[in-house]
Amino acid sequence: VVGGSMQALEVLGTVLGRDFLQRIALPCVLAERINLADAAQAIGKIYAASLSSGLSTSKLVERLREFLLSPGVDVRCHAVQSIGVIAKHHNDFHAQDLALLVARSEVHPQVLDRLVTCVPDLFAHAIKAKDGAKNSAAGGSSPLSSRGHSKVNTPPRLTRRRQSLEGNTSSQDMSNLLKNSVDDHFIRASPEVVSLFCRSIISVVESHSDSSNVPEDCVKRCTQAAVALVRSVGRDRFPEISDLFRFLLRSPSFRDSLAGHLHLICRFLSPPNFSDVSVAGAPPAAHALIEAYLDAFLVVPDAAKASDSNNLLAVTLWTWQSLIDASGRMTTLLCQLPLILAALPPKQRRLEWLCVLQSIYHAFLAARGVIVDSAPWEYMEGNGECCTVNGETVSLGSLSRQLQGVQLAYAFPAAAAIMKQAGVDWLLSKIVHQALSEDDDAKLRWTMARSLHVFPALFGPNSARGLADQMLRMLHDADLDVAEAVHKSYLEFADAVRAQDPSLVDKVTEDFTNSSLWSRRLHFAIYQAEQLILLLHMRDVPDVDNTCVSTAISLLSAETTEVRKQAAMASASILSYLPPTLECRKRLLDTLLQCSEGTCRQKQTLLWACEQMLIENPEIFKQHFLAPLKQIAHMPATKVKSRSLVHNYAWVLLGRVNEKFGREVGTGS
C-alpha cells in the first residue's frame, strides 16, 4: 500500500470517507519510506478530507511542516501547493501559519512562486464567509444604489436578469474581485504578514533575469496576489503595500495587468458611495501611489496640458487615439477614470486628468453621432464613419468598439462630482447625461436610472426641470428593469428635485399614486409601500395626507404578501405621524382594526401593523391595537395551516407585550 499511487489516495480519501482515511490514507502519508514529493502533493487534499470527516489533523500538520523544511525543492513546491489546497477548502489557521513559515525561511524563487499563487486563497475564504453573513442579513448593496431599502423577495428570473446587468458594470476580473469588497470585512493582516508576502512577490519578479519580460502567467499570479494583499490591509495600513506596487509599476511586463486593477484598488480604499460628493476619498497614504499609477499610464503630451482651446483639442485627440490603440485592460483604466480620481482629494487632481476624463465621455458622444455646436470634433461630410479632431481623422468605428458604455454610465456620477469639486465647468455634461439615459442599449439606461437621484444636486437648479422630464420617461420605459431602478428611488429623486426647484414637486410626485405604473411588475408596489412615509414628509405636496392614506389602504388589500406587509408597516408609521384629529387618519385606523374580523390574510396584515406600532409608538399600540391582538390570539385554532400561523404569530407578539409592559397588560386573559 505504501508504494501505491498518492493521487489515487487523494481521490479515494475524498470519496470513501472517514474509515478509508483512518486505515489507509493517513498511514501512507505519514509513512517514512514513500515518495516525498508525491506525498507533499497529496497531503493537502487528504488534510481537507480528514478535517471534514472529523479526524485529528495534528500529525498531518507536523508532516506538512517537515515537507516545507525538506532539502528537496520539488518537495517544498508540492508542500506549498498543498497549503493553497487547505486554504481554498477551509478557513484554517494552520494554512496561514504554514504559509508564514515559508515566507520567513524560503529563498528559492520556484517555491516562492508557488507561495504567491496561494496568497488569494489565504485571504479569500474568511472574506467570503463574512460578506455572505452580511448579505444574508442586509441584502447587500451597490456603490451607486445604497438606498437602505429592506430586502425584497424578487422572483428568481428577475434576480438573474438584474445580476447579469450588474455584472456588466465592469470587466469579469472586476466582478470577481469586487464581490467581497466590503471595507469592514477585510482580513486585518499584521504589518509583518504583509511585509513577508510583499517580499515574496518581489523575490519572484526579481528571479527573472529580464524584469521587462516576465512570463505572462507569472505576471497574472503576482498581480492577483498583490490585489489580495490590498484587500487584506484595507484602508488602515496601506503604506505597507505601496512599495510593492511601486516596484511592479517599474516593470513593463506588469504595466498592462496593473492598468486593469487600479480602479479595483481605488474601490477597496474608498467609501462605498461614490455618488456622495461630500465623501472623502482614499487614505492619504494611497494618494501618492494612485498618482504614480496615473503618471505611469496617462502620460499626456506637454502640448495638451494647458487650458486654452487648442491644447484641449490636443488632449482630446490624444485620449481618443489612446482609446483606439489601448489593450483591454488599458481601456478599462480609461473608462474607470472617474472612480480612480474619486479616490483623490480635489486639490491633487491635475488639469490634464480632468481633460482626459471629459474627452472619454466626449468620445462616447462622437461614437453615437451626437452633433453639438461647441464640441471639439467635427463629422466629415460624406463619411459617417469618421470625424476630425484638431485636424486629424479619427475612425468612429474603432472608437466605438473600444468604449465600454456601461462602465462609463456606471462611473458618470463620480465624473460629474469630480468636475464640480474641482470647479471645472463641464459644458457637455448634461448632453452626456441625456445621451447615456436615452441610449438604445437598455443596460445603459438602467445604469443611469439607478443613480438618477444624485444629479439634481450635481447639475443645479437650472437642470431640475430637464431631469424631471427624464425621470418620467424612464418611469414609463418599455424595459421594466429601467422602470424598476427609478421606482426604487422615486421619492428620493423627488426630494432632490424639490430641494433645487420647489415648483416641480407636483410634477415629479403626480405618478406616485398611478396604479397602472406600479402594477407593471408584481413587486413594484413593494417600493411604493416602502416610500409612503417619505411622501408624507413632503408637506408642500397638495393634499399629501389623504394621498398617503388612500394609497396605503389600497396596498393593504394587495394580493402579494410582501406588499401587504410593507403596507402594514407603512400604515403604522403613518398613524404615528399624523395628528389624531384628521379624518383620513381615522379612516386608515378603522381599516386596520376591521382586519381583526376578516380572513386569516387580513388578520396577518393587522399583526404586521401591530408589530411595527409596538416598536414605533407603544402608547398608540396600547390604546388601539392591544385588544384586537388579544382577540386574534384567542381565536379557535384549527388544523388550517394559515390560521395556525396567525394564531402563533399573535402569541409571539403578546409575549413581546409582556416584556415591554408587564403581564398585567399583555396577559391573554
Side-chain angles (χ1 to χ4, degrees):
V1 176
V2 171
S5 171
M6 284 292 170
Q7 187 175 5
L9 290 181
E10 294 178 34
V11 178
L12 293 175
T14 304
V15 174
L16 298 180
R18 181 186 180 95
D19 187 54
F20 178 83
L21 289 167
Q22 197 168 15
R23 293 177 54 198
I24 299 178
L26 293 180
C28 288
V29 174
L30 298 175
E32 294 296 330
R33 297 178 60 187
I34 56 172
N35 186 312
L36 296 182
D38 290 346
Q41 185 175 8
I43 196 170
K45 290 186 178 180
I46 293 177
Y47 177 99
S50 300
L51 200 62
S52 300
S53 300
L55 295 174
S56 173
T57 57
S58 58
K59 292 184 179 180
L60 289 175
V61 172
E62 291 303 318
R63 185 61 163 165
L64 184 53
R65 191 182 299 271
E66 293 175 9
F67 291 150
L68 293 173
L69 300 176
S70 170
V73 174
D74 57 339
V75 177
R76 300 203 303 275
C77 285
H78 289 309
V80 173
Q81 187 175 343
S82 290
I83 294 176
V85 173
I86 296 172
K88 185 178 296 185
H89 290 86
H90 295 276
N91 182 23
D92 194 283
F93 67 93
H94 288 308
Q96 293 189 28
D97 287 345
L98 293 170
L100 289 176
L101 171 65
V102 178
R104 290 190 184 101
S105 60
E106 189 59 63
V107 294
H108 197 283
Q110 189 175 352
V111 181
L112 290 175
D113 187 66
R114 298 292 181 93
L115 178 64
V116 167
T117 306
C118 300
V119 169
D121 292 327
L122 289 170
F123 296 108
H125 188 91
I127 296 176
K128 182 178 179 180
K130 292 177 182 178
D131 286 344
K134 176 175 180 177
N135 290 336
S136 64
S141 63
S142 145
L144 292 180
S145 63
S146 183
R147 302 266 61 80
H149 292 302
S150 58
K151 191 174 181 181
V152 175
N153 294 323
T154 308
R157 178 181 59 81
L158 301 178
T159 301
R160 289 193 296 271
R161 170 75 189 278
R162 187 177 301 110
Q163 289 172 345
S164 69
L165 290 173
E166 291 174 345
N168 280 304
T169 59
S170 59
S171 64
Q172 185 63 40
D173 286 343
M174 178 178 178
S175 175
N176 291 338
L177 285 168
L178 284 184
K179 60 184 178 182
N180 298 314
S181 62
V182 180
D183 185 66
D184 292 337
H185 295 117
F186 288 121
I187 298 177
R188 299 296 180 183
S190 67
E192 182 196 11
V193 171
V194 175
S195 176
L196 286 171
F197 284 123
C198 287
R199 190 180 66 187
S200 299
I201 296 172
I202 292 174
S203 298
V204 170
V205 178
E206 289 180 336
S207 67
H208 297 275
S209 56
D210 184 5
S211 61
S212 63
N213 190 25
V214 181
E216 184 177 350
D217 58 341
C218 180
V219 169
K220 182 178 179 180
R221 290 194 298 271
C222 292
T223 302
Q224 289 178 345
V227 173
L229 286 176
V230 173
R231 297 169 70 184
S232 71
V233 300
R235 292 168 54 87
D236 298 337
R237 292 195 291 268
F238 189 77
E240 296 148 14
I241 198 174
S242 60
D243 290 341
L244 168 63
F245 278 89
R246 291 178 183 277
F247 171 80
L248 296 178
L249 279 171
R250 292 197 295 268
S251 172
S253 300
F254 283 86
R255 290 285 179 87
D256 184 56
S257 178
L258 290 173
H261 289 289
L262 176 56
H263 62 286
L264 299 178
I265 296 172
C266 295
R267 288 281 301 274
F268 294 141
L269 296 175
S270 298
N273 193 353
F274 288 108
S275 63
D276 186 349
V277 298
S278 65
V279 168
H287 295 164
L289 175 62
I290 296 173
E291 289 185 344
Y293 240 120
L294 293 176
D295 286 333
F297 297 109
L298 299 182
V299 186
V300 183
D302 292 336
K305 292 184 179 181
S307 58
D308 61 83
S309 58
N310 290 332
N311 290 329
L312 289 175
L313 290 174
V315 76
T316 299
L317 179 62
W318 176 84
T319 303
W320 290 16
Q321 289 177 339
S322 298
L323 278 170
I324 293 173
D325 299 337
S327 64
R329 291 193 180 275
M330 186 64 182
T331 302
T332 298
L333 170 69
L334 292 171
C335 291
Q336 294 284 348
L337 188 58
L339 302 184
I340 296 166
L341 295 181
L344 295 173
K347 63 181 180 180
Q348 294 185 352
R349 297 189 179 109
R350 300 178 183 175
L351 175 61
E352 61 265 26
W353 293 343
L354 296 178
C355 292
V356 169
L357 179 57
Q358 291 187 26
S359 299
I360 293 169
Y361 283 94
H362 295 169
F364 175 83
L365 295 180
R368 292 299 195 271
V370 178
I371 300 176
V372 186
D373 293 337
S374 58
W377 68 88
E378 295 180 358
Y379 292 102
M380 299 179 64
E381 294 185 7
N383 188 349
E385 297 297 322
C386 297
C387 68
T388 59
V389 180
N390 204 23
E392 297 287 337
T393 301
V394 177
S395 170
L396 293 176
S398 301
L399 192 64
S400 179
R401 283 191 295 272
Q402 288 294 84
L403 286 170
Q404 301 173 13
V406 176
Q407 286 190 5
L408 292 176
Y410 182 73
F412 184 70
I418 290 166
M419 296 297 174
K420 183 174 181 178
Q421 287 174 335
V424 175
D425 187 13
W426 189 5
L427 299 177
L428 301 184
S429 60
K430 297 175 185 177
I431 298 176
V432 172
H433 176 270
Q434 182 178 356
L436 289 167
S437 301
E438 298 178 359
D439 195 83
D440 293 338
D441 189 348
K443 296 176 182 177
L444 267 68
R445 301 198 306 275
W446 174 81
T447 305
M448 294 301 293
R450 296 174 68 200
S451 57
L452 188 62
H453 57 281
V454 307
F455 291 107
L458 293 176
F459 288 164
N462 294 333
S463 65
R465 187 169 297 276
L467 289 172
D469 293 335
Q470 184 65 58
M471 185 273 283
L472 294 176
R473 285 194 294 271
M474 287 182 161
L475 200 62
H476 293 80
D477 198 290
D479 190 288
L480 293 182
D481 287 307
V482 177
E484 178 179 350
V486 180
H487 279 304
K488 292 177 72 173
S489 57
Y490 188 113
L491 288 183
E492 190 169 359
F493 173 82
D495 192 47
V497 170
R498 172 169 156 263
Q500 300 294 324
D501 189 348
S503 65
L504 293 173
V505 67
D506 292 351
K507 179 176 182 178
V508 296
T509 58
E510 63 183 356
D511 278 334
F512 187 76
T513 56
N514 187 344
S515 59
S516 62
L517 279 176
W518 295 96
S519 61
R520 294 173 69 197
R521 181 175 276 179
L522 190 62
H523 62 276
F524 277 7
I526 300 175
Y527 306 134
Q528 187 183 27
E530 286 178 342
Q531 297 174 79
L532 270 177
I533 194 64
L534 298 178
L535 179 62
L536 191 62
H537 284 81
M538 296 183 182
R539 305 312 297 170
D540 49 352
V541 176
D543 201 21
V544 64
D545 296 335
N546 276 311
T547 299
C548 289
V549 168
S550 299
T551 305
I553 291 175
S554 65
L555 292 173
L556 286 172
S557 59
E559 291 294 325
T560 308
T561 301
E562 192 66 28
V563 174
R564 294 198 314 277
K565 181 177 182 179
Q566 292 295 336
M569 296 168 64
S571 297
S573 299
I574 292 171
L575 290 173
S576 299
Y577 182 84
L578 292 178
T581 56
L582 287 180
E583 282 298 323
C584 60
R585 181 185 183 278
K586 296 177 182 178
R587 183 156 51 94
L588 177 59
L589 180 60
D590 290 342
T591 301
L592 281 173
L593 296 181
Q594 288 171 7
C595 291
S596 63
E597 304 292 342
T599 63
C600 288
R601 173 185 292 182
Q602 292 173 320
K603 290 183 174 70
Q604 186 181 44
T605 302
L606 174 60
L607 294 179
W608 285 324
C610 288
E611 182 177 15
Q612 186 68 17
M613 187 62 76
L614 182 61
I615 297 171
E616 288 193 15
N617 198 321
E619 292 303 317
I620 294 180
F621 172 82
K622 286 172 62 177
Q623 183 180 357
H624 296 290
F625 289 88
L626 182 57
L629 175 60
K630 290 181 180 181
Q631 179 182 336
I632 295 174
H634 286 86
M635 70 179 183
T638 66
K639 294 182 180 180
V640 179
K641 183 178 181 181
S642 60
R643 177 166 295 185
S644 299
L645 290 174
V646 170
H647 179 267
N648 293 337
Y649 186 19
W651 277 102
V652 170
L653 291 181
L654 278 180
R656 297 181 188 175
V657 174
N658 289 337
E659 294 175 0
K660 183 177 287 288
F661 302 111
R663 293 189 60 84
E664 64 278 4
V665 175
T667 182
S669 59

